[in-house]
Amino acid sequence: MTLFSPLHLREVTLPNRIGISPMCMYASQDGQVSDFHVAHLGRFALGGAGLVIAEATAVHPHGRISPFDTGLWSDEQVPGWRRVTALVAASGSVPGVQLGHAGRRAAVREPWRAGAPLDETDAAAGFAPWPLVAPSALPAGPGHAMPAELTARQIAHSVQDWHDAAVRAVSAGFRFIELHGAHGYLLHSFLSPVSNRRTDRYGGSAENRLRYPLEVVAAVRDAIGDGIPLSFRVSAVDGAEGGSGIEETVHIARRLAAAGVDLIDTSSGGITTDRSTDTRIRRGFAFHADFSRRIRDEAGVPTATVGLVVDAEQAERLLDHGDADMVLLGRQVLDDPNWPHHARIALGDDSHDSWDVRYGSALGPRARTLARLTASGETPLTRFSP
Ligand SMILES: Cc1cc2nc3c(=O)[nH]c(=O)nc-3n(C[C@H](O)[C@H](O)[C@H](O)COP(=O)(O)O)c2cc1C
């Protein structure tokens, strides 16, 4: 079972190749971890995932997507995260976090309120929009505020924010760090020609557009030391007219790997919210697998694939086929947090040894009882048979 073989990344070993994809939960006040986060992330670790990546966590308050994002811009946010990492690690899983800065896509409402830009109604409720920053003064799409173009000096400060957040992440107990370089947020907006129209050393050529992300990678690597793996989530294709495609992303992946990135987490899209220029890819099963495979093959860097990975055999085959080194699951584990345990059973190991002993010692005998009843022809509805 490739899915349940360990993955070694620097000094960290993931016990299996199933990771929980970062998912914003909009359950935070002032960037603080809440009881919800502890339960939410803890149950994925109990569910058997080898890696649990906490949601996009802002390196600066202005880098929050919404007012309800988690943060690591302050030392005061560290103790809350320690509750999460202790629980995840105690369950045999590796605690990870995605550090992010939303850039020109910051200051919006939760998805169930259409992710719309914050306005005066939100301000009246105490959630005023804040100033946006970006490589160039171009809004993310209709209705979004105009971001200010970052000066070279502000870029240097921003690199320091990532560094400091990474130091806090390690001190909070995270053993895997991911940088959010996708979905149109700040790092991606520097990489893409759609959003980066600068004429200084941070814009123009592909090399110049890579400069800020590479500076962030170097700063974060310096902050976390040599032992902790660093992942970078890319948008393999920008998903907009005039945007980057997979060839550019293979090049970007190669450069990131040379700068100290260990895993390319392969996603797509988001560079604009303007649906009229949006050329998003079709959402089929494992819809990023072709991209994660190309990056893995052509850039020679380990990859994670994400997007409608839903089934144990599908996940196993993706790995055996060389599409990626690990799978990340998002919505599937919201539906079934015990998916990794269930996948192990589906692939032929029904020992229940991978479950927390408090669960496994009860579920193993139950499975044997259910098997006996099934063999005898008894079903849950037998008592109601005529
Ligand atoms: C509720 C929710 C929140 C998400 N938040 C993030 C996030 O914080 N960072 C990120 O890179 N992707 C985020 N995503 C995208 C997921 O990580 C994942 O890539 C996407 O849902 C596709 O995988 P799936 O089909 O397994 O859900 C989010 C997705 C969902 C459904």
Side-chain angles (χ1 to χ4, degrees), residues 21-26 55-56 65 98 178 180 183 233 267 287 306-309 328-332 334:
S21 202
M23 282 180 283
C24 288
M25 286 291 117
Y26 310 93
E55 67 191 73
I65 300 167
Q98 184 187 57
E178 174 163 289
H180 200 335
H183 304 169
R233 175 165 276 200
S267 187
F287 54 91
V306 66
L308 285 183
V309 177
L328 297 181
L329 283 80
R331 292 161 296 177
Q332 188 65 28
L334 293 182

Side-chain angles (χ1 to χ4, degrees), residues 122-145:
D122 304 280
F127 301 111
W130 52 86
L132 307 186
V133 294
S136 302
L138 295 166
H144 288 265

Side-chain angles (χ1 to χ4, degrees), residues 99-138:
L99 299 178
H101 189 303
R104 67 182 195 158
R105 295 200 58 184
V108 299
R109 296 177 182 161
E110 310 92 315
W112 53 89
R113 294 171 67 222
L118 299 174
D119 64 16
E120 56 283 356
T121 325
D122 304 280
F127 301 111
W130 52 86
L132 307 186
V133 294
S136 302
L138 295 166

Side-chain angles (χ1 to χ4, degrees), residues 45-334:
L46 283 170
L51 171 68
V52 177
I53 311 179
E55 67 191 73
T57 293
V59 301
H60 186 281
H62 290 181
R64 288 174 298 168
I65 300 167
S66 82
F68 314 108
D69 290 19
T70 50
L72 269 169
W73 67 78
S74 155
D75 291 345
E76 287 168 19
Q77 289 153 344
V78 171
W81 282 119
R82 285 203 185 114
R83 295 175 63 205
V84 170
T85 60
L87 178 57
V88 170
S91 303
S93 183
V94 172
V97 64
Q98 184 187 57
L99 299 178
H101 189 303
R104 67 182 195 158
R105 295 200 58 184
V108 299
R109 296 177 182 161
E110 310 92 315
W112 53 89
R113 294 171 67 222
L118 299 174
D119 64 16
E120 56 283 356
T121 325
D122 304 280
F127 301 111
W130 52 86
L132 307 186
V133 294
S136 302
L138 295 166
H144 288 265
M146 179 67 80
E149 176 173 318
L150 282 166
T151 64
R153 195 183 152 85
Q154 287 169 328
I155 288 176
H157 281 134
S158 173
V159 171
Q160 188 67 38
D161 290 339
W162 290 90
H163 172 277
D164 295 351
V167 169
R168 292 186 194 104
V170 174
S171 135
F174 287 111
R175 302 282 294 149
F176 177 102
I177 309 290
E178 174 163 289
L179 304 180
H180 200 335
H183 304 169
Y185 299 127
L186 191 59
L187 288 169
H188 184 196
S189 69
F190 268 86
L191 289 170
S192 173
V194 172
S195 42
N196 184 345
R197 304 276 173 80
R198 299 177 74 97
T199 52
D200 65 357
R201 55 204 287 272
Y202 290 99
S205 66
E207 201 54 34
N208 279 355
R209 282 183 274 115
L210 255 164
R211 193 177 308 278
Y212 170 70
L214 288 177
E215 287 178 1
V216 169
V217 166
V220 169
R221 173 53 70 203
D222 178 56
I224 66 179
D226 288 336
I228 293 184
L230 180 59
S231 167
F232 193 101
R233 175 165 276 200
V234 292
S235 278
V237 291
D238 277 352
E241 284 164 22
S244 298
I246 184 65
E247 287 78 16
E248 287 93 334
T249 305
V250 167
H251 171 72
I252 289 166
R254 216 177 270 127
R255 296 295 311 278
L256 292 171
V261 166
D262 306 297
L263 185 80
I264 299 291
D265 172 6
T266 312
S267 187
S268 70
I271 198 62
T272 170
T273 62
D274 183 352
R275 291 283 173 256
S276 67
T277 64
D278 186 330
T279 55
R280 282 190 301 171
I281 63 167
R282 196 182 82 83
R283 300 280 199 262
F285 288 114
F287 54 91
H288 293 125
D290 288 340
F291 299 132
S292 55
R293 183 188 180 85
R294 280 197 60 182
I295 293 168
R296 188 171 186 264
D297 286 352
E298 296 175 31
V301 50
T303 60
T305 203
V306 66
L308 285 183
V309 177
V310 297
D311 174 80
E313 190 175 340
Q314 174 205 22
E316 179 80 353
R317 289 217 196 167
L318 285 166
L319 301 183
D320 286 345
H321 191 239
D323 290 328
D325 296 273
M326 66 179 300
V327 293
L328 297 181
L329 283 80
R331 292 161 296 177
Q332 188 65 28
V333 289
L334 293 182

